[in-house]
C-alpha cells in the first residue's frame, strides 16, 4: 500500500520535473516533444511487451493507424483532431483485439514474427491504397482548428499535450503495478501454464492488454502526426519505429513503471547529442545498448540501478559453501 | 502461356536465392533454437564485402565466393561465441533482442562506412540473358540458381556425411543426449551459426549483380527468410528449399497477375496463414 503511493508520488515528481523542460531547454523543444511522445508510446508498448511479456515488433502499425485516423478525418471530413484522436484510439483497440484474437494462439518466436508480418502488410496497404492514404507521397496536415485558442502546431503546446499523454500512460502502468489485472499479466509472463491453473484466462487477458496498449499507442501516434504535420508510411508504419519503441522500453527496463521513460530520455538524448557525429547511423547506439543490456543487465537501466543500490547499501552476499561443491 | 511460363520461371530463379537465405536461418533455428533477427544484415554484409572487393580490386563476385564462404563461417562463429553463446539458455525474447541488436549494429556500421545512397556494380554479364524456347532467363540469376544448387548439395553432404554434420544434427535433435554421446554441442552451435551466416552472405554476393544495394536492405531479407522458414517448417532445412521456391513463385505470379505494389504482401499473407493453420510448416515435422 505504502509502496503504491510512493510510486504515485514519484510519477508526480517526474511530471513536474518535465514541465520545467521548456524553460531549461527552450531551443530543444523538438527533442522534448519527441521524448515525451516516445516515452509515452514505449510505456504503452511495455503494457504488452514488458508487463505481459509478449514481445511485439509491430507497434508501428498502431502508431500509424492512430496518426492516419486523425489526419484523414481532419483532411477529408474536417473533423477536429480531438475527435480524431479518440476515433483512432477506438479503432486501434478494435484492430488490436481482432489481431490479438488471431495471433495469441501463437507463442514465443511465432508471436513476434506474426506481429512483424501484420504490421508490414498494413504498411504495404498504406503505400498502395493511394486514394485513401495518399500513398508513399504521404499526407500534409496544413491547418488544424485551435481549441481554446491554442495553436496545435506550436511546439510548447505540443510538448504539454505530449506530457499529458505520458502522464496518462504512467498512471495506467501504475495501476498495473498493483491491480489484479496487472498481476494476471505478470503471472502470464512468468509462466502461462501456471497462470491458467490459477484460473487466469491467458488469451482474453492478453487481448485486453493488447487493446489497452494499442489505444495508448494510437493516442501517441495521433499527437506524433500533429508534431510531424507531414508524414508518410515510411515514417509512421516502418518496422524501424516498432523496433525503436521496443528497444526504448527494454533498455530502460521492461515491465517497470519508469523504465520506458528513462529509456526514452537516455536514448533520444544520446541520439541528439551524437547527431552530428553519427548522422543517419543514430540507431547504432540502440544496437550497442541493447546488446549490453541483454548481456549484462537483463532488467534494463532501472534493474541495473536497483542492483547497484543493493550492492552499495547492503554487505556482499555470503556465497553458500555447498555451491562450491565442498562441505566444511 | 509463354508469359505465364516466363513469370513462373523468374519466380523459381528468385526463389532459389530466397531458399539459400532461408536455409541458413532454418539451420540456425534447428540447431540452436534461436531465431536470428540479424540474418538479413549478413546478406547485406555479403553484398557490401563483394562490392568492396569488386570496386577496389576488381574481383568478380563469383570468384569472391570462396572467400565469402570462409569469411562468413569465421565471422558467424565469432558472433555466436561472443554474443549468443552467453545467453543461449535464456528465455527466447533475450536471443531475439540480442540478434536485433547485432543486426542494428551491422546495418548502422554499413551506413557509416558506405553512406545511404544506393550502389550497384556493373559486370559484363549483368544484363545478359539466356533464351530457352520462348522463355528468357536472366543470366546472373541463372548462374546464381546453379551455384545455389551446388551450395545446397555441398551443405547436404556436410550434414549427412561428415562427423561435424552429424554432430550438428544430433544437437538439433536432442542437445542433452548429444552431449552424453560426447558431442561438443558448443562447437556444433558455433559452426551452425557460422554456416548459416556464410549461406546468407553467399546469397548477398549472388544477388549483387542484379540488385541495387543500400545499407538497410538487410531488413527485407530477414523478413523473406522468416517467410521461407515458416513455410518450410522452422528448423527444417530441406523444407526451406520448398519454402523459398514457393515464395519466389508466389511473389512473381502475384506481382504479374494481381498487383505489383503488393509483391511483398503475398509472401507475408502466406506466412500468416501457415503460422496459424500449420505452424509446423507445409512439409511436416522433419528437422535439419
Amino acid at each position: 500500500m505504502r509502496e503504491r503511493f510512493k510510486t504515485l508520488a514519484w510519477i508526480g515528481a517526474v511530471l513536474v520535473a518535465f514541465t520545467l523542460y521548456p524553460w531549461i531547454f527552450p531551443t530543444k523543444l523538438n527533442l522534448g516533444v519527441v521524448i515525451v511522445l516516445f516515452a509515452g508510446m514505449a510505456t504503452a508498448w511495455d503494457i504488452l511487451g514488458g508487463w505481459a511479456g509478449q514481445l511485439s515488433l509491430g507497434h508501428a502499425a498502431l502508431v500509424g493507424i492512430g496518426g492516419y485516423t486523425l489526419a484523414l478525418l481532419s483532411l477529408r471530413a474536417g473533423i477536429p483532431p480531438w475527435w480524431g484522436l479518440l476515433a483512432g484510439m477506438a479503432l486501434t483497440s478494435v484492430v488490436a483485439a481482432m489481431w490479438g484474437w488471431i495471433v495469441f494462439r501463437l507463442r514465443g518466436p511465432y508471436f513476434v514474427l506474426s506481429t512483424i508480418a501484420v504490421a508490414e502488410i498494413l504498411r504495404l496497404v498504406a503505400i498502395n491504397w493511394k486514394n485513401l492514404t495518399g500513398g508513399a507521397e504521404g499526407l500534409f496536415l496544413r491547418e488544424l482548428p485551435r481549441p481554446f485558442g491554442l495553436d496545435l502546431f506550436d511546439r510548447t503546446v505540443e510538448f504539454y499535450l505530449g506530457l499529458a499523454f505520458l502522464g496518462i500512460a504512467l498512471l495506467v502502468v501504475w495501476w498495473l503495478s498493483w491491480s489484479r489485472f496487472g498481476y494476471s499479466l505478470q503471472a502470464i509472463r512468468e509462466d502461462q501454464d501456471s497462470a491458467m491453473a490459477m484460473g487466469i484466462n491467458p488469451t482474453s487477458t492478453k487481448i485486453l492488454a493488447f487493446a489497452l496498449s494499442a489505444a495508448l499507442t494510437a493516442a501517441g501516434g495521433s499527437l506524433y502526426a500533429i508534431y510531424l504535420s507531414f508524414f508518410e508510411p515510411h515514417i509512421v508504419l516502418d518496422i524501424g519505429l516498432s523496433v525503436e519503441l521496443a528497444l526504448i522500453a527494454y533498455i530502460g527496463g521492461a515491465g517497470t513503471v519508469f523504465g520506458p521513460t528513462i529509456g526514452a530520455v537516455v536514448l533520444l538524448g544520446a541520439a541528439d547529442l551524437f547527431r552530428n557525429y553519427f548522422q543517419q547511423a543514430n540507431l547504432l547506439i540502440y544496437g550497442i545498448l541493447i546488446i549490453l543490456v541483454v548481456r549484462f543487465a537483463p532488467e534494463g537501466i532501472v534493474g541495473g540501478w536497483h542492483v547497484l543500490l543493493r550492492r552499495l547499501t547492503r554487505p556482499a552476499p555470503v556465497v553458500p559453501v555447498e555451491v562450491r561443491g565442498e562441505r566444511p | 502461356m509463354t508469359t505465364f511460363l516466363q513469370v513462373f520461371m523468374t519466380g523459381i530463379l528468385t526463389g532459389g536465392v530466397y531458399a539459400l537465405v532461408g536455409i541458413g536461418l532454418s539451420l540456425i533455428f534447428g540447431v540452436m533454437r534461436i531465431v536470428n533477427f540479424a540474418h538479413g544484415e549478413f546478406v547485406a554484409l555479403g553484398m557490401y564485402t563483394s562490392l568492396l572487393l569488386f570496386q577496389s580490386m576488381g574481383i568478380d563476385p563469383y570468384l569472391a565466393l570462396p572467400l565469402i564462404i570462409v569469411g562468413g563461417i569465421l565471422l558467424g562463429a565469432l558472433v555466436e561465441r561472443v554474443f549468443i553463446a552467453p545467453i543461449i539458455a535464456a528465455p527466447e525474447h533475450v536471443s531475439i533482442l540480442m540478434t536485433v541488436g547485432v543486426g542494428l549494429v551491422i546495418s548502422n556500421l554499413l551506413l557509416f562506412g558506405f553512406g545511404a545512397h544506393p550502389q550497384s556494380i556493373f559486370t559484363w554479364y549483368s544484363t545478359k540473358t539466356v533464351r530457352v524456347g520462348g522463355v528468357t532467363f536472366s543470366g546472373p540469376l541463372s548462374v546464381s540458381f546453379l551455384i545455389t544448387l551446388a551450395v545446397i548439395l555441398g551443405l547436404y553432404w556436410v550434414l549427412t556425411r561428415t562427423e561435424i554434420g552429424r554432430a550438428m544434427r544430433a544437437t538439433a535433435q536432442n542437445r542433452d543426449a548429444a552431449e552424453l554421446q560426447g558431442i561438443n554441442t558448443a562447437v556444433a552451435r558455433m559452426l551452425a551459426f557460422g554456416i548459416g551466416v556464410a549461406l546468407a552472405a553467399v546469397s548477398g554476393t549472388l544477388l549483387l549483380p542484379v540488385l541495387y544495394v543500400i545499407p538497410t536492405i538487410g531488413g527485407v531479407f530477414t523478413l523473406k527468410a522468416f517467410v521461407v522458414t515458416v513455410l518450410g517448417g522452422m528448423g527444417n532445412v530441406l523444407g526451406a528449399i520448398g519454402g523459398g521456391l514457393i515464395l519466389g513463385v508466389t511473389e512473381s505470379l502475384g506481382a504479374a497477375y494481381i498487383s505489383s505494389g503488393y509483391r511483398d504482401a503475398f509472401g507475408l499473407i502466406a506466412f500468416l496463414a501457415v503460422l496459424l493453420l500449420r505452424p509446423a510448416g507445409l512439409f511436416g515435422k522433419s528437422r535439419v
Side-chain angles (χ1 to χ4, degrees), chain A residues 102 108-110 113 116 128 250 281, chain B residues 92-93 108 223 226 261 275-276:
Chain A
I102 297 172
Y110 294 104
L113 295 180
I116 298 176
N128 284 292
Y250 246 95
Chain B
E92 61 216 348
H93 68 262
N108 283 285
L223 217 53
F226 289 158
L275 263 187
L276 296 169

Side-chain angles (χ1 to χ4, degrees), chain A residues 219-258:
Chain A
S222 306
L223 295 174
Y224 192 42
I226 297 176
Y227 163 79
L228 291 170
S229 76
F230 165 77
F231 62 100
E232 43 154 338
H234 181 65
I235 301 176
V236 291
L237 283 165
D238 193 69
I239 182 171
L241 178 59
S242 300
V243 170
E244 197 172 350
L245 291 179
L247 294 192
I248 285 174
Y250 246 95
I251 291 170
T256 62
V257 175
F258 295 109

